[in-house]
Amino acid sequence: MSHAYWWYFALIYLSGVMAATSIGRITPVSVDLENDLGLSLGQVGLVASSVTAVAAVLGLAVSVALRPLDPRRTLIGGLVVMGLAGLLVSRADGFPLLLGGRLVESMGYVVVVIAAPVLILGLGDDERRTVALAVWGTFMPVGLALGAFGGGLLSAGFGWRTSLVVAAAATLAVAGAALYLPGTGARQAGPEPEGPADGAVATESRAGDGDGPGGRWARARRLARPVALGAGFATISATIVTFVALYPTYLHDEFDVPTAAAGTLTGSVSFAGVAGGFAASVLLRRGARMKYLFTAALLMPVGAFAAFGSTGGLGISMTSAVLIAVTNELVVATVFAALPLVVRTSADVGMANGLVAQLGSVGSLAGPPLVGLVVTAADGWWAVGPTLLVGCAVGVVLLRAAVGRGQQT
């Protein structure tokens, strides 16, 4: 059973990785899109970021809509939608069709990232699921790196349309492999998770179905921990996406690193952060308390002070950038591992994951422009560190509140 468990998990993880490649695969072909389709830089940026649009606007609504459905079928359906939309994007001859295809792809993306953790819980086994959820939290940097580097190699050798066709075909192939996952109903998504320390799981879950003031208050309490987890995750997402968005420009401005090389260095640093996710899985397995791992998020602004400090040279800046990436993945992995701990019943895991996906996407979209405005107003890169410190401090408070005083892995 152990081998089957990890085989099934690998398929689910690969599904998430393929979803994440959709975010990174536009970056290496952006110049080709500008030249071949006559797009502006702003249009290319919108095409690149639009794959998270549905998650940012409708993440919670999609999770509620998917709740009665078999998560295996929804995962496969999401991958199929992404694959077919990717084929459409590869044939686009202008901005409207390109953006439309990406928005359809975004619908598949949010379905995959919501259904996958529910499926992981459906595999059962309390001891292994914490490790599996922590490892699942690394799907984003792995997918981003695969999309950026793999897409770059394919587009350089065969053109941007071929690179997108190959990515779409790979996504459809993973959808076919996912047919071998065990089927399960959404309301049979694994054992009941541990509830809050007060032990009021069953009572509050039933009370939440009422329509009176008491029922509304119970529903609010039922959502409190997932909302806190998602809001805290938003600050973490904003931090890492801000770093990825601004660091290449900083390297170019401060150290005269060529633009292409700066992007490659930033991508390499982001991928190195995967080590943090696996470190989290080991620490959680050994009984580390989640609230302490969440507190490690404060190391990200510490790293930002040095990475964007314009002192100490390129080596110090790059080392500090790695600290940001590794710490980010450690915290992200812990967020996903905390999902079964912040809900009242296992049936609510999809809802909690929808909140995390939606609020995390909001943070990803809002972080770079907000920090960019602060840097412009302060007239210096030094402002990145203090700005991220405020956001991460708020995030740590929210994340620690989400898991509560009495909860532990």
Side-chain angles (χ1 to χ4, degrees):
M1 176 59 187
S2 178
H3 293 299
Y5 182 96
W6 292 112
W7 164 249
Y8 292 144
F9 170 74
L11 276 177
I12 299 169
Y13 181 79
L14 184 58
S15 300
V17 169
M18 292 310 302
T21 61
S22 64
I23 301 176
R25 73 173 67 118
I26 295 299
T27 301
V29 302
S30 57
V31 175
D32 293 331
L33 292 177
E34 290 182 49
N35 294 334
D36 292 354
L37 302 183
L39 304 186
S40 67
L41 184 61
Q43 288 175 320
V44 171
L46 184 58
V47 168
S49 64
S50 59
V51 78
T52 62
V54 173
V57 178
L58 298 173
L60 179 57
V62 172
S63 70
V64 172
L66 296 179
R67 182 174 172 180
L69 306 178
D70 183 340
R72 181 185 69 125
R73 293 180 179 178
T74 56
L75 179 80
I76 294 170
L79 289 169
V80 169
V81 168
M82 291 195 71
L84 295 178
L87 292 175
L88 176 65
V89 169
S90 73
R91 305 310 304 164
D93 57 1
F95 178 69
L97 185 58
L98 191 64
L99 181 61
R102 290 287 282 177
L103 289 175
V104 174
E105 199 171 2
S106 178
M107 295 174 63
Y109 170 83
V110 70
V111 169
V112 171
V113 299
I114 287 174
V118 178
L119 267 174
I120 293 172
L121 287 172
L123 296 179
D125 194 325
D126 289 346
E127 182 179 353
R128 286 183 294 193
R129 71 177 183 181
T130 297
V131 176
L133 284 169
V135 174
W136 161 255
T138 67
F139 81 93
M140 183 61 75
V142 173
L144 286 172
L146 181 61
F149 294 125
L153 291 174
L154 286 170
S155 61
F158 304 100
W160 68 271
R161 294 188 186 275
T162 299
S163 73
L164 296 183
V165 168
V166 171
T171 303
L172 292 173
V174 173
L179 290 170
Y180 293 95
L181 289 170
T184 177
R187 296 186 181 278
Q188 296 175 323
E192 292 296 306
E194 298 175 28
D198 60 13
V201 177
T203 301
E204 290 196 11
S205 177
R206 288 190 297 267
D209 295 331
D211 295 325
R216 287 192 293 270
W217 173 246
R219 282 196 298 273
R221 292 190 63 188
R222 185 176 175 181
L223 286 172
R225 290 180 187 272
V227 168
L229 187 72
F233 182 61
T235 67
I236 307 305
S237 298
T239 298
I240 190 62
V241 175
T242 296
F243 161 73
V244 171
L246 300 183
Y247 196 57
T249 303
Y250 171 78
L251 290 176
H252 179 72
D253 290 350
E254 296 296 321
F255 300 109
D256 294 323
V257 177
T259 303
T264 300
L265 287 174
T266 301
S268 300
V269 167
S270 179
F271 184 70
V274 172
F278 289 100
S281 70
V282 173
L283 291 170
L284 290 169
R285 188 178 182 88
R286 294 182 177 180
R289 294 180 67 87
M290 288 182 176
K291 66 179 183 180
Y292 296 137
L293 298 185
F294 285 146
T295 304
L298 295 175
L299 292 175
M300 287 193 289
V302 171
F305 274 99
F308 292 90
S310 301
T311 58
L314 180 60
I316 295 296
S317 178
M318 291 290 297
T319 301
S320 302
V322 171
L323 174 64
I324 296 172
V326 171
T327 304
N328 170 78
E329 278 308 306
L330 183 143
V331 176
V332 168
T334 307
V335 167
F336 282 102
L339 280 173
L341 301 180
V342 301
V343 295
R344 299 296 181 182
T345 70
S346 60
D348 285 343
V349 171
M351 174 271 296
N353 192 45
L355 274 171
V356 168
Q358 179 165 349
L359 294 177
S361 296
V362 170
S364 298
L365 291 173
L370 290 178
V371 177
L373 287 174
V374 174
V375 170
T376 301
D379 195 25
W381 289 103
W382 63 268
V384 173
T387 305
L388 295 184
L389 177 60
V390 173
C392 286
V394 173
V396 167
V397 172
L398 290 168
L399 292 171
R400 286 173 64 100
V403 295
R405 291 175 298 174
Q407 290 188 325
Q408 186 175 348
T409 62

